[in-house]
Amino acid sequence: MHEFGMNTHPAVLYEDNHLLVVNKQAGEIVQGDRTGDEPMTGMLKSYLKNRYNKPGEVFLGLVHRLDRPVSGAVIFAKTSKALTRMTAMVKDRSIAKTYWAVVDACPVPESALLVHFLKKNESLNKSFVVKEGTAGAKRAELAYRLLASGKTLFLLEIDLHTGRHHQIRAQLAALGCHINGDLKYGARRSNPDGSISLHARYLEFIHPVSRELIRITAPLPERPEWHIFDTEKQP
């Protein structure tokens, strides 16, 4: 088993011949979109080209995504073999994804399995909790637990069991726990930098080639709300 934190590049959490795992900052986009802003894929291709003096086009495949205002660990594949195998692992849910979220209310109960049915509204780019059986709705499942409490903010750990559009944001909002800064899902105010306080904290998976157990921890953002809790005691 290997556990990884920060590596040679400030944002690189893990890198070998097949995989590159990066600590995405809130505001970065993993793929190109209508804004025309430079995506992480382009920046990382440049990083690989320069670091390894690679001629021609650099291969880099995106294994999974994070929303633009979300931070944390994102997996990229440096080979087509790794991309094919990691994509299959995403589909069969064999990559364990754990998030931390700062929310505005203490959940009741303090730990639980949440199951909802979500339907995406394309024009609003938002997912809504709907009744089971609603046309176009998809089952969404996550487990959460309270890690720490502050005066007005609370730190939750979330194990994501399905990968629906805006799933954590929508399900926590339905619980009455709005993610700090997430105006779209009911937060009272935005964060000055446009982020929301949702962070992809841990990844755990079997390496697609070496078959080793890989565990990755993404350091928390510098924003002050992440550092009001005593997280040193958390696993």
Side-chain angles (χ1 to χ4, degrees), residues 89-195:
M89 290 166 65
V90 170
K91 289 181 179 178
D92 67 19
R93 302 176 189 172
S94 57
I95 300 175
K97 302 175 184 177
T98 301
Y99 291 73
W100 282 12
V102 178
V103 298
D104 62 1
C106 185
V108 178
E110 292 186 357
S111 64
L113 177 70
L114 287 186
V115 178
H116 293 101
F117 288 83
L118 299 181
K119 184 172 182 178
K120 181 180 177 181
N121 183 307
E122 295 286 352
S123 61
L124 296 177
N125 189 32
K126 184 176 179 180
S127 288
F128 294 87
V129 173
V130 296
K131 292 182 179 179
E132 183 178 357
T134 300
K138 296 181 178 180
R139 179 186 171 91
E141 182 179 310
L142 62 80
Y144 74 85
R145 68 184 180 104
L146 179 69
L147 286 184
S149 299
K151 291 182 179 179
T152 59
L153 296 174
F154 304 85
L155 180 64
L156 304 185
E157 182 170 85
I158 299 109
D159 289 323
L160 194 60
H161 296 171
T162 55
R164 308 307 183 195
H165 176 261
H166 290 183
Q167 178 182 336
I168 297 174
R169 301 165 68 179
Q171 286 196 271
L172 290 184
L175 187 65
C177 300
H178 310 97
I179 295 174
N180 191 61
D182 196 1
L183 289 180
K184 178 170 282 193
Y185 286 92
R188 289 186 292 271
R189 60 183 63 87
S190 62
N191 290 337
D193 61 359
S195 69

Side-chain angles (χ1 to χ4, degrees), residues 171-228:
Q171 286 196 271
L172 290 184
L175 187 65
C177 300
H178 310 97
I179 295 174
N180 191 61
D182 196 1
L183 289 180
K184 178 170 282 193
Y185 286 92
R188 289 186 292 271
R189 60 183 63 87
S190 62
N191 290 337
D193 61 359
S195 69
I196 65 173
S197 303
L198 179 62
H199 183 70
R201 180 67 162 157
Y202 305 117
L203 290 172
E204 183 174 305
F205 56 90
I206 300 298
H207 192 284
V209 179
S210 71
R211 311 308 297 167
E212 292 180 276
L213 176 62
I214 305 295
R215 287 179 174 167
I216 293 169
T217 300
L220 294 171
E222 293 301 319
R223 282 194 50 79
E225 70 272 14
W226 288 107
H227 302 282
I228 62 173

Side-chain angles (χ1 to χ4, degrees), residues 1 26 47 49 69 72-73 79 82 112 160 165 220 229:
M1 181 190 78
Y47 156 72
K49 188 176 183 67
T79 63
L160 194 60
H165 176 261
L220 294 171
F229 306 104

Side-chain angles (χ1 to χ4, degrees), residues 40-90:
M40 292 181 71
T41 48
M43 292 185 285
L44 292 172
K45 283 182 179 182
S46 296
Y47 156 72
L48 293 172
K49 188 176 183 67
N50 293 332
R51 180 174 183 184
Y52 299 106
N53 195 26
K54 286 180 173 286
E57 182 69 17
V58 174
F59 179 89
L60 188 70
L62 178 62
V63 174
H64 67 109
R65 298 166 178 80
L66 291 179
D67 296 338
R68 185 165 191 160
V70 178
S71 58
V74 183
I75 307 171
F76 297 85
K78 294 169 64 176
T79 63
S80 58
K81 177 194 290 187
L83 180 60
T84 298
R85 293 180 181 179
M86 292 298 289
T87 300
M89 290 166 65
V90 170

